[in-house]
Amino acid sequence: AQKITQTQPGMFVQEKEAVTLDCTYDTSDPSYGLFWYKQPSSGEMIFLIYQGSYDQQNATEGRYSLNFQKARKSANLVISASQLGDSAMYFCAMREDFQGAQKLVFGQGTRLTINP
Amino acid sequence: DAGVTQSPTHLIKTRGQQVTLRCSPKSGHDTVSWYQQALGQGPQFIFQYYEEEERQRGNFPDRFSGHQFPNYSSELNVNALLLGDSALYLCASSSNIDRGKLFGAGTRLSVL
């Protein structure tokens, strides 16, 4: 079974600093996808960035980038120039494929707080 | 274009009651997945519907059932509610060519 581990329950960062949120994963499948989501207090899960296991380059989406180290099975999220609005829960997730269906397996999440 | 729409936003029930949650996927999406997120936890996969059939199921009891309609909208039904069913229920929609599953804002269920 696939597993996602996020070892940082909480992170506190000063505004405008860069922050790295850690994520390690465990899978025996050669083909997989990794996602990062942001969940503000309202509850909605907001898609941030995606990395496929065969993608040659690290994914980037605006201020978000994914530091993908396949051999170490890590997929850390880097947020550059943090903003107060970045304060939220962040979840790393892996896509698991089974008989044509896909589900997401989530980590426990990291609560990020941006201080002014 | 509306994204994934869930209703109701909040719900309060008592133990033993039954509840139905609803989800309308994003236009063009044909697959709906349901997740349960307990307080302080990551979401847990309940089941997925495609072409009106349950395609995959997570580790949830039969009290949890669902349905998908021809317009791709979906319902999640929970019977004989327990206190432990209190959670945020998230619906996600996707298509075969869509990498990022799009989530709704969720339904927050409280069982008293």
Side-chain angles (χ1 to χ4, degrees), chain A residues 35 37 39 41-45 47 50 55 91 96 98 100-104 106-108, chain B residues 33 35 37 40-43 45 48 55-56 58 88 90 99-105 108:
Chain A
F35 298 77
Y37 289 88
Q39 188 177 43
S41 57
S42 61
E44 183 176 2
M45 199 72 77
F47 167 73
Y50 169 84
D55 292 345
F91 289 95
E96 181 178 286
F98 181 73
Q102 297 180 348
K103 73 176 188 184
L104 293 176
F106 286 84
Q108 292 287 83
Chain B
S33 304
Y35 292 81
Q37 185 178 17
Q41 305 291 319
F45 175 77
Q48 182 178 91
R55 192 157 69 168
Q56 189 182 9
L88 178 67
L90 294 163
R99 281 179 165 180
K101 293 184 185 293
L102 186 62
F103 282 81
R108 203 169 293 276

Side-chain angles (χ1 to χ4, degrees), chain A residues 9 37-40 86-91 108-112, chain B residues 40:
Chain A
Y37 289 88
K38 172 184 178 181
Q39 188 177 43
D86 293 334
S87 294
M89 283 291 292
Y90 287 80
F91 289 95
Q108 292 287 83
T110 296
R111 181 170 296 281
L112 176 63

Side-chain angles (χ1 to χ4, degrees), chain A:
Chain A
Q2 298 181 333
K3 185 177 180 181
I4 294 287
T5 303
Q6 294 180 254
T7 57
Q8 305 155 310
M11 289 276 288
F12 294 85
V13 174
Q14 288 298 119
E15 189 180 8
K16 299 181 183 178
E17 289 184 351
V19 56
T20 298
L21 304 182
D22 295 341
C23 172
T24 58
Y25 59 91
D26 187 20
T27 182
S28 56
D29 293 335
S31 176
Y32 52 87
L34 295 158
F35 298 77
W36 275 93
Y37 289 88
K38 172 184 178 181
Q39 188 177 43
S41 57
S42 61
E44 183 176 2
M45 199 72 77
I46 301 168
F47 167 73
L48 296 178
I49 198 166
Y50 169 84
Q51 180 83 43
S53 59
Y54 293 121
D55 292 345
Q56 294 297 313
Q57 295 187 337
N58 287 346
T60 60
E61 292 283 351
R63 293 187 300 114
Y64 305 108
S65 61
L66 202 151
N67 184 3
F68 182 46
Q69 299 188 42
K70 198 170 182 177
R72 297 180 60 184
K73 293 189 175 180
S74 73
N76 298 338
L77 176 70
V78 180
I79 306 174
S80 64
S82 58
Q83 302 171 356
L84 296 179
D86 293 334
S87 294
M89 283 291 292
Y90 287 80
F91 289 95
C92 180
M94 171 179 284
R95 185 191 68 230
E96 181 178 286
D97 298 333
F98 181 73
Q99 295 180 348
Q102 297 180 348
K103 73 176 188 184
L104 293 176
V105 177
F106 286 84
Q108 292 287 83
T110 296
R111 181 170 296 281
L112 176 63
T113 302
I114 307 298
N115 295 315

Side-chain angles (χ1 to χ4, degrees), chain B residues 50-92:
Chain B
Y50 173 71
E51 292 188 343
E52 302 180 49
E53 291 201 358
E54 183 180 291
R55 192 157 69 168
Q56 189 182 9
R57 187 179 185 91
N59 188 25
F60 280 80
D62 292 343
R63 297 187 297 109
F64 289 77
S65 63
H67 188 78
Q68 186 178 35
F69 299 94
N71 66 353
Y72 306 121
S73 66
S74 177
E75 288 182 349
L76 164 65
N77 301 293
V78 187
N79 294 323
L81 284 167
L82 304 174
L83 296 180
D85 295 331
S86 295
L88 178 67
Y89 289 84
L90 294 163
C91 171

